[in-house]
Amino acid sequence: MPETKPYDSDFMLGEPALVCRWRLAGATLPLENRHLRALSRRHLGDAPLDDKLVAWAKQHIEWTLASGAAEHPNGVLMLMVDERGRAAMTVGPYEPLTDRRLPALLARADLAEREADQTDVAPETIWSVVDGGLVWGLGEGCVPSGTASLVEDLARTLGISVERRAGLLDEVRSGGLAFDEAFVVSDEHGVVLPEGLACPLGERFLEGYGTLLRKARRLGQGS
């Protein structure tokens, strides 16, 4: 079983090979099941993450997150795993993005795609609206992040088609795709709309994500 210690400043973790950053609300993890499902599909090196590590993460989220997030109830839960499979959790403050221009968002999606090359899951993905439907920068058969799976389900609930396309990022960046909207979906930042670009459909997903966080905060404050 991996050597793991949550919320422990004395625990010496090796160089992190994987870092997951998940948004909190009301000292809870609103998308817990989705995040853990995506975690279970990640790889470390050539091997999938140990099932025991995923079980450990779930246990400590359920048992110690409320106290561990006391200082930052609406912050970010960080799960760090080193190359030996040892893990640690900590909670820090949420810091909004300072640059939400489209080129900056595309750069973040590019970094996330590179992470997915190593771990099989991209924590941030690019989405575009083309002819009223959604095109998602994720290849068929690839594993979605927790927040991205939420947006996909919201789209289908609204009757909006979703097409996965592995090369979407390059098409948007090069101008080779005529799109009506483009935005990023992030495990840490939620639905991120670019500054200066109208995104009426993206606003609907942003509102749906915001409603989820507000509900979690109310429940957290009442517990």
Side-chain angles (χ1 to χ4, degrees):
M1 181 175 181
E3 300 172 30
T4 52
K5 292 188 179 181
Y7 313 120
D8 186 347
S9 60
D10 295 327
F11 174 56
M12 297 299 295
L13 189 73
E15 183 69 24
L18 171 65
V19 179
C20 297
R21 300 175 64 89
W22 300 329
R23 184 77 173 273
L24 299 176
T28 68
L29 184 60
L31 298 176
E32 177 183 337
N33 289 336
R34 293 177 183 269
H35 288 314
L36 290 175
R37 189 179 307 121
L39 177 65
S40 71
R41 302 289 297 279
R42 282 176 163 88
H43 278 67
L44 194 63
D46 295 328
L49 287 185
D50 192 325
D51 290 342
K52 293 179 181 178
L53 188 151
V54 179
W56 167 84
K58 178 177 177 63
Q59 180 185 75
H60 285 290
I61 288 169
E62 294 176 350
W63 291 4
T64 66
L65 179 59
S67 58
E71 292 187 14
H72 305 290
N74 300 311
V76 177
L77 174 64
M78 290 167 282
L79 169 65
M80 296 156 286
V81 185
D82 68 15
E83 60 185 9
R84 293 173 56 187
R86 299 177 303 176
M89 281 183 175
T90 189
V91 173
Y94 172 68
E95 298 181 1
L97 292 175
T98 57
D99 189 349
R100 291 192 297 107
R101 294 172 298 175
L102 183 58
L105 298 186
L106 296 179
R108 294 185 64 90
D110 184 47
L111 285 175
E113 282 194 2
R114 296 173 189 272
E115 178 176 329
D117 289 340
Q118 303 297 320
T119 68
D120 282 0
V121 177
E124 299 183 338
T125 48
I126 183 72
W127 299 63
S128 65
V129 178
V130 180
D131 297 330
L134 278 174
V135 183
W136 179 11
L138 191 74
E140 291 293 340
C142 293
V143 181
S145 71
T147 307
S149 73
L150 171 70
V151 172
E152 181 182 30
D153 287 347
L154 287 175
R156 298 197 187 285
T157 299
L158 294 170
I160 300 168
S161 65
V162 179
E163 173 194 346
R164 294 188 179 195
R165 190 181 302 179
L168 177 64
L169 176 60
D170 289 336
E171 292 183 79
V172 172
R173 190 161 41 190
S174 67
L177 175 69
F179 60 87
D180 301 312
E181 303 177 31
F183 54 90
V184 160
V185 175
S186 164
D187 278 347
E188 180 177 4
H189 300 287
V191 179
V192 186
L193 308 182
E195 288 182 349
L197 295 180
C199 291
L201 187 54
E203 290 280 1
R204 297 179 70 179
F205 295 114
L206 176 61
E207 177 58 29
Y209 180 76
T211 297
L212 179 72
L213 294 188
R214 289 191 293 272
K215 181 178 179 180
R217 288 179 189 133
R218 289 195 300 270
L219 292 174
Q221 291 168 357
S223 60

